[in-house]
Amino acid sequence: IPKMEAVQYDPQNRKLSFLKVPIPSQPKSKEVLVRVAFAGICGTDIHITEGKFPCRDTPFIMGHEFSGVVSAVGSDVKHIKKGDNVAVDPNSGCLTCDACHNGNYHYCTGGGIDKINGIYQDGGWAEYCLVPADQVHKLPDNITLEQAGLTEPLSCVSHGWDRIIPIPVGSRILILGAGIIGNLWASVLHLQGHRRVIVSEPQEARRKLLAKLETGYDIITPEELKTRRAKDLTWGVDLVIDCSGYAPAIEEALDLINPGGILCIFGVSSPQARISVSPYALYKNELKIIAVKVNPFSFPKALGWIEAMGSRYLQYDKLGVKTYSLSQYEDALKALKKGTVAKAMFKMEK
């Protein structure tokens, strides 16, 4: 039986392993076998390995953000063919419940998150991955496999964008966190003409990485953010986009929002995290809190954004993305946890 390299997670022992496993079998009628090119490590993946995010309870191959080349297609698959460059959307629903029929498959309780590749089904931290055909998107010729490795996180940003617009140019905006998601939000805002943007990030290495994007944004520490407010109690922002999932930072940022402003909860927190909110302050300032969950129907929009952003924004070195082989998974996770990279990406050697 032909074997492939993979990084597998054992949830019972909270242990990752690099090993050789059988290449998935030939695809069924509505499946596609993808030879993976680039596969990202997400903050959610770290939460999973720490036992803080729900996942399958038996060993599985992780990785829900990946691009690759079609290796084989099932008999009913017409929209792509062997040899096509593709990006894979890991999310879907049961397509039978009220949520799915209302166009909100990300609310689905019967399918939805329980079917995600890399969390409940085998994912892209391997040389090959078997995926449902309707979750595979062909890449335009002007998008590289490297750029397409960021399609899934960008599709989530795209959904967030749809949830919080309009954002008038000239708005004062605060981004919390300069991991890859904060950097992608910074890129998208800059592309759309926004210049009054502040990014708060505690780790110096990540602040330096974000500066490589040359947005001209104010990149500061959380302490500097507090000092700014302490010096001028009237200072505030119109929109806060949390990309950290860190509850204390979210809570502090609520006090910085101008009347009529918005808090966007984008980063994924631990299920145990809590924030304290004053209902009176929400009333007095007519604040909106808008949460964002994954990427319903936003993969095509993300591919459109990748075309628009191009190499001006989507170069790995500018975004702080570093590539690793699957066998270097321990180094990749350490770098991500330390904050010496904004994102770690597996690059398949073949």
Side-chain angles (χ1 to χ4, degrees), residues 332-348:
L333 286 163
K334 278 178 192 168
L336 202 51
K337 288 177 183 175
K338 279 185 183 176
T340 54
V341 299
K343 187 172 189 67
M345 184 82 69
F346 290 122
K347 180 180 180 181
M348 304 309 149

Side-chain angles (χ1 to χ4, degrees), residues 25-41:
S25 57
Q26 284 299 300
K28 294 175 186 170
S29 62
K30 295 181 180 178
E31 290 180 333
V32 174
L33 183 63
V34 175
R35 179 163 56 84
V36 179
F38 291 89
I41 303 178

Side-chain angles (χ1 to χ4, degrees), residues 81 83-87 137-148 303-304 306-307 310:
K81 64 185 185 304
D84 283 347
N85 288 356
V86 295
H137 296 256
K138 184 179 177 181
L139 300 181
D141 291 340
N142 58 348
I143 292 180
T144 66
L145 285 167
E146 184 174 285
Q147 291 170 339
L303 291 172
I306 291 173
E307 286 188 271

Side-chain angles (χ1 to χ4, degrees), residues 217-238:
Y217 290 169
D218 209 356
I219 306 166
I220 63 175
T221 66
E223 288 70 31
E224 288 173 295
L225 191 62
K226 288 178 190 173
T227 303
R228 198 165 290 196
R229 181 53 176 247
K231 284 181 180 174
D232 180 1
L233 295 178
T234 64
W235 181 86
V237 296
D238 306 307

Side-chain angles (χ1 to χ4, degrees), residues 74-81:
S75 56
D76 291 346
V77 179
K78 307 298 181 201
H79 69 294
I80 45 175
K81 64 185 185 304

Side-chain angles (χ1 to χ4, degrees), residues 21 53 198 287:
V21 297
F53 194 87
I198 297 167
L287 301 183

Side-chain angles (χ1 to χ4, degrees), residues 229 233-234 254-261 277-288:
R229 181 53 176 247
L233 295 178
T234 64
L254 266 168
D255 292 335
L256 304 177
I257 302 175
N258 293 328
V277 181
S278 160
Y280 178 78
L282 297 181
Y283 144 77
K284 179 172 175 284
N285 295 315
E286 280 201 332
L287 301 183
K288 287 182 186 173

